[in-house]
Each structure stands twice: as C-alpha cells, then as structure tokens.
C-alpha cells in the first residue's frame, strides 16, 4: 500500500485533500492522471451497463436529498455503525473494527458501550437556519433512482426487466476512514437498479453476480484475487433479502469491492402511496407523504405491481485502488536494473500515447511531433501527451510508471528521410518503425474499447 500511495502522489494520481492545511480526514483529490483513470473506469462501466445493452437507461440525479426520501428508505432509522468512545483520550472507534476491548490510540480499556451512530451528513438548505430546512448528502446514489422510477418509466416506456444506471458521489460520515481511498467519507458509486418481475429475482441476482465478475476481469482484475462472500442474514442491510459481495484482495486484506443485493420491492414499495393496493412483499412503513405509485403494469395479467430490484453497486474509488494494485509491478531488467510498470489495460490507461521529440530544440522535429500529437488526439481515444523532456530513455521509464501503453518518438529520420516514427510498446518494450500514415490505425487497434472491455 505504501508503494502505491507514494506512486499515486509522485505521479499525480491521488493527493490527500486540503493537503496544504494538514488534510481533511477521509477525503482525497484525484490529480491529472487520477482523474483520467477514474473517468476511464467510469466510462467502461457505462459502456457495459448502458451502451452495450438495450434494457438500461442512465440517470444523473442531485446529491442533496429531501429528508423524506431517506426517512422512507429506512436510512434515518437504520443507517448506523456502532460507535464507542475512549473515555481516556476521547478518540472514537467503530466497535466492530476493534481487535480487542482496548483503545487502539492510547491502550486504555475504559471504553463506552457501543451506540448507534448515523452515517449521513446533513446540510442546511436556503438562508434560514431554523433546523427545519435541512437536506442530507446522499449516502448511496440508489435512492434517487427509486424516486425517479416513474419519471423514467413515463418517459421511456420500458418493459420488465429493465434497469436504471447512475454514477455519482455518495457521502458517509465513516467513524474510522482508513486504508487510503478504500474507506473514505466522500466517494463515488456506480450503481445499477435492475427491475425484474417478482419471482424472477433470484435468477437475475445470480446472473448479475456472474456479469459483474466478468466485468472486473475485463478491467484487468485477476479472477484469482476476487472472492464471493454470501452475506449472512444477520449482516444484511435493512433492505436486502440476499447480498453477494465481490471481495478483492486489497493490499490491506480481502475486502468488499462491490455489493450485489436483492433489494426486493422494499424501496419502490417504501416510496409508494396507498401501498395496500399492491401486494408488497417487503415489510414497509405506511407512507402518507408520497404522491407517487412506483408501479408498472404486467402486460400479461394487466395487474399493476411493484417490481423487485437487483442492485450491483460498485465503489469507483475502491475500483481505482484495485486496478492500480493489479497494474503495479516492478520488473527486473538484468544488470541490477529495474523498472516500475503500471500495466493498465489500454482502455483504462490515463495517457494513451506519449509523443516524444528526440530533440526538444529542433524546430522541424518539434513541429512534426506536435502535428502527430494533434492528429492522434483527434481520433478521440483519450489523452495524447506531447512531452519534450529531451531524454527519450527517461521518458519511456516515466511512461512505464504511469502506464502509457505506447510511446511515439519523432527523430531526424522522420523529418529528413522517410516519414516514419518509432513506436515503443510498454509491455514488451519492443520498438518498431512504422510510417506516420499507419500510426492512427496502429494506435486505434491497440487501444480500441472493443478489444479491451
Ligand atoms: N446502494 C447500495 C450500497 O450503497 P454499500 O455496500 O453500502 O451498498 C456499495 O456500498 C459500494 O460502495 C461498496 O461495495 C463500496 O465499493 C463502496 N463504498 C461504500 N462505502 C464506502 C466508503 N466509505 N468509501 C469508499 N467506498 C465505499
């Protein structure tokens, strides 16, 4: 983990937030390369979940949420972790994370009994601070999918089964944020709510677990580093009938990367008015505040029903950490030399191609290299970098370390003889000379999303 955190800072992937003021616990900022990696991961998820399917629509809802949404979702009452205080040093801990009944900070055993601590952040909305005008920062993106269910159904007329996908920020006032970007207080989720007929939920649940395992493999996560955890009944979230967690062997241990839950008709049922009209299976509170019926008509029976929902919910930040961990390797080159490589799948690599002029002061070479960069950029494959540090060997090393799949070097032969460039492959370190006219094709073939998930 230390090596990853060091590389992340040194190369501009991830920084401690508000670093110059001593940081803010549980918050991180994504730097020039981190933002590219993260965007690429989200784009890969969106491609798989929305573009490559005919049965999923997208959504991008507000982060601030009406408290009623989170009251009827059950989060106000139950979205808690057990908190203990150390009476000696006043530090606070999550009871289920303590290894003994001693304070990890000062060693005292004078700890309070655990009490529930609600993880939701509150903020004031509008100019009057009278306690009534508050909103929550959403603790999961899912609720806005449920509250928009009718809007999406009315505007797109889907038939069951169908899904609504969303990527966005979520906030949890974690008692003990830790392990770099693994457990933070502000993070991003990639969530799909996939609505199915009651009775078909279990088979869809199993199918989504398979789909998600395959997707993580396509992102470069070794299947042997993933395990499934069938969450036991006494650990299930309040809305879940069954949850399977995709666990990944993070540098600090085997932990949850994604949760795939069968949320039954709990959420749509909870937010629906006149619940008694429908055969809602989950135990839900009466809802006098909702003005919507979150139901869909079964075409065969003509009955209106509350669908069940299967929810694959993945953390973007945990995904970034897993992918960086998988990509990281230190290779022996012989003669006591080593190189560090981030072997990202090309579609995730922050920089797709670096174009390097052999001489940074040679006008002809520089102009040609800039032209090549521009023409590659126009292919729309992601970030193409022009880099004129002047030392090609060092340039290759640096781009190995940030995972750039291809480096293109422009030299005297390019401009004076045959309009060819050297293309250097990150993984094999092979260099081949190819005509500039073939460069676009080669780069496209190497990077195309179809070939790389
Ligand atoms: N809508 C369902 C839901 O939110 P969850 O298991 O609480 O379920 C889903 O969260 C995913 O969100 C987790 O698998 C994890 O990847 C990510 N996640 C949850 N809490 C997180 C935190 N404090 N920091 C980073 N990622 C987190």
């Amino acid at each position: 983990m230390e090596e990853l955190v060091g590389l992340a800072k040194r190369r501009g992937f991830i920084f401690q937030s508000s670093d110059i003021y001593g940081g803010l616990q549980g918050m991180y900022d994504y730097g020039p390369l981190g933002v590219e990696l993260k965007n690429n991961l989200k784009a890969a998820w969106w491609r798989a979940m929305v573009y490559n399917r005919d049965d999923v629509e997208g959504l991008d809802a507000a982060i601030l949420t009406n408290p009623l949404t989170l009251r009827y979702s059950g989060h106000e009452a139950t979205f808690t972790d057990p908190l203990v205080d150390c009476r000696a040093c006043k530090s606070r801990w999550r009871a289920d994370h303590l290894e003994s009944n001693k304070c990890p900070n000062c060693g005292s055993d004078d700890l309070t009994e655990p009490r529930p601590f609600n993880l939701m952040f509150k903020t004031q909305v509008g100019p009057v601070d009278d306690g009534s005008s508050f909103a929550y920062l959403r603790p999961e993106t899912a609720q806005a999918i449920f509250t928009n269910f009718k809007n999406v159904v009315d505007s797109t007329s889907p038939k069951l089964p169908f899904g609504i996908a969303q990527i966005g920020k979520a906030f949890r006032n974690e008692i003990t944020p830790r392990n770099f970007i693994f457990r933070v207080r502000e993070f991003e989720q990639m969530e799909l709510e996939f609505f199915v007929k009651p009775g078909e939920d279990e088979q869809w649940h199993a199918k989504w677990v398979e789909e998600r395992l395959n997707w993580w493999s396509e992102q470069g996560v070794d299947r042997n580093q993933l395990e499934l955890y069938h969450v036991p009944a006494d650990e299930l979230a309040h809305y879940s009938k069954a949850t399977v967690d995709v666990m990944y062997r993070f540098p600090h241990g085997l932990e949850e990367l994604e949760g795939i839950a069968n949320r039954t008709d709990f959420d749509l049922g909870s937010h629906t008015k006149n619940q008694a009209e429908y055969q809602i299976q989950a135990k839900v509170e009466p809802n006098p505040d909702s003005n919507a019926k979150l139901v869909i008509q079964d075409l065969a029976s003509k009955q209106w029903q509350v669908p069940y929902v299967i929810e694959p919910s993945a953390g973007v930040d945990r995904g970034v950490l897993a992918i960086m961990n998988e990509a990281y390797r230190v290779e022996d080159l012989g003669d006591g030399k080593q190189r560090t490589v981030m072997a990202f799948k090309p579609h995730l690599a922050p920089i797709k191609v670096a174009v390097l002029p052999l001489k940074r002061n040679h006008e002809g070479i520089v102009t040609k290299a800039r032209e090549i960069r521009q023409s590659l950029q126009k292919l729309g494959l992601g970030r193409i970098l022009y880099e004129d540090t002047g030392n090609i060997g060092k340039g290759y090393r640096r781009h190995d370390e940030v995972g750039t799949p291809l480096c293109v070097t422009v030299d005297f032969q390019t401009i004076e003889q045959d309009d060819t460039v050297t293309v250097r492959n990150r993984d094999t370190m092979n260099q081949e000379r190819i005509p500039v006219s073939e460069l676009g094709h080669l780069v496209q073939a190497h990077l195309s999303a179809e070939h790389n998930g």
Side-chain angles (χ1 to χ4, degrees), residues 140 172 174 182 184 189 191 256-257 263 311 313 315:
E140 59 171 5
R172 297 182 189 179
E174 296 283 354
F182 176 80
V184 281
Q189 292 183 316
E191 299 202 297
E256 177 185 339
L257 172 63
R263 293 181 80 131
E311 176 197 62
S313 169

Side-chain angles (χ1 to χ4, degrees), residues 23-281:
L24 181 59
Q25 227 204 342
M27 309 286 171
Y28 285 91
D29 298 339
Y30 286 78
L33 296 188
V35 64
E36 299 293 338
L37 174 60
K38 197 183 191 201
N39 283 343
N40 292 339
L41 183 65
K42 292 192 282 184
W45 187 91
W46 198 261
R47 267 200 305 277
M49 296 306 225
V50 184
Y51 296 163
N52 290 350
R53 306 182 63 96
D54 294 319
D55 53 4
V56 175
E57 300 289 342
L59 184 76
D60 182 15
I63 286 169
L64 293 184
T65 307
N66 186 321
L68 289 174
T69 300
L70 292 157
R71 178 174 311 159
Y72 288 106
S73 71
H75 284 80
E76 262 189 353
T78 59
F79 197 60
T80 58
D81 276 338
L83 171 80
V84 293
D85 288 287
C86 170
R87 291 195 186 91
C89 73
K90 310 288 179 224
S91 60
R92 294 185 140 182
W93 304 97
R94 215 174 114 169
D96 56 333
H97 283 176
L98 290 181
E99 275 158 23
S100 67
N101 58 356
K102 287 199 166 45
C103 170
N105 187 40
C106 71
S108 163
D109 56 8
D110 190 8
L111 303 177
T112 60
E113 284 300 306
R115 62 194 159 85
F117 173 76
N118 196 296
L119 299 181
M120 288 195 293
F121 282 100
K122 260 184 190 175
T123 190
Q124 185 203 322
V125 176
V128 185
D129 187 9
D130 64 359
S132 64
S133 50
F134 75 95
Y136 289 115
L137 274 68
R138 63 186 181 196
E140 59 171 5
T141 75
Q143 289 307 319
I145 296 183
F146 301 129
T147 54
N148 275 295
F149 178 80
K150 197 167 158 17
N151 292 331
V152 175
V153 168
D154 289 351
S155 55
T156 64
S157 310
K159 292 187 200 69
L160 290 176
F162 70 92
I164 304 176
Q166 180 169 220
I167 301 176
K169 292 266 183 174
F171 300 81
R172 297 182 189 179
N173 197 4
E174 296 283 354
I175 296 169
T176 40
R178 56 183 173 180
N179 295 321
F180 195 33
I181 52 171
F182 176 80
R183 189 180 307 285
V184 281
R185 291 183 169 138
E186 173 175 343
F187 55 99
E188 272 187 276
Q189 292 183 316
M190 309 183 278
E191 299 202 297
L192 172 71
E193 306 302 323
F194 196 76
F195 301 100
V196 303
K197 285 186 189 163
E200 294 182 359
D201 50 313
E202 288 177 12
Q203 77 204 52
W204 274 107
H205 194 194
K207 194 167 152 52
W208 274 112
V209 171
E210 265 323 292
E211 293 263 340
R212 298 302 303 146
L213 279 175
N214 291 340
W215 185 82
W216 282 112
S217 299
E218 284 165 13
Q219 308 320 305
V221 179
D222 182 352
R223 181 66 184 80
N224 295 321
Q225 303 302 320
L226 296 170
E227 270 183 33
L228 294 180
Y229 177 65
H230 293 259
V231 178
D234 62 344
E235 285 178 23
L236 287 174
H238 62 278
Y239 49 72
S240 173
K241 166 177 156 183
T243 298
V244 179
D245 286 343
V246 177
M247 311 288 280
Y248 171 71
R249 225 170 293 288
F250 285 97
H252 62 278
L254 186 68
E255 292 233 43
E256 177 185 339
L257 172 63
E258 168 160 0
I260 303 153
N262 180 346
R263 293 181 80 131
T264 71
D265 52 1
F266 177 84
D267 299 275
L268 292 183
S270 295
H271 294 304
T272 285
K273 91 171 181 191
N274 297 343
Q275 292 144 328
E277 284 177 24
Y278 311 101
Q279 282 85 47
I280 296 170
Q281 305 289 311

Side-chain angles (χ1 to χ4, degrees), residues 335-351:
D335 295 338
K337 289 193 187 134
Q338 287 186 326
R339 69 164 186 158
T340 303
V341 192
M342 288 301 254
F344 295 124
K345 289 267 202 159
H347 71 285
L348 294 177
I351 299 166

Side-chain angles (χ1 to χ4, degrees), residues 9 18 28-29 97 142 156 162-163 171 190 204 261 265 293 304 318 404 412 434 439 443:
K9 176 156 190 196
S18 312
Y28 285 91
D29 298 339
H97 283 176
T156 64
F162 70 92
F171 300 81
M190 309 183 278
W204 274 107
D265 52 1
K293 298 174 175 186
W304 290 89
R318 288 188 189 180
T404 308
F412 288 104
I434 66 155
L439 192 57
V443 168

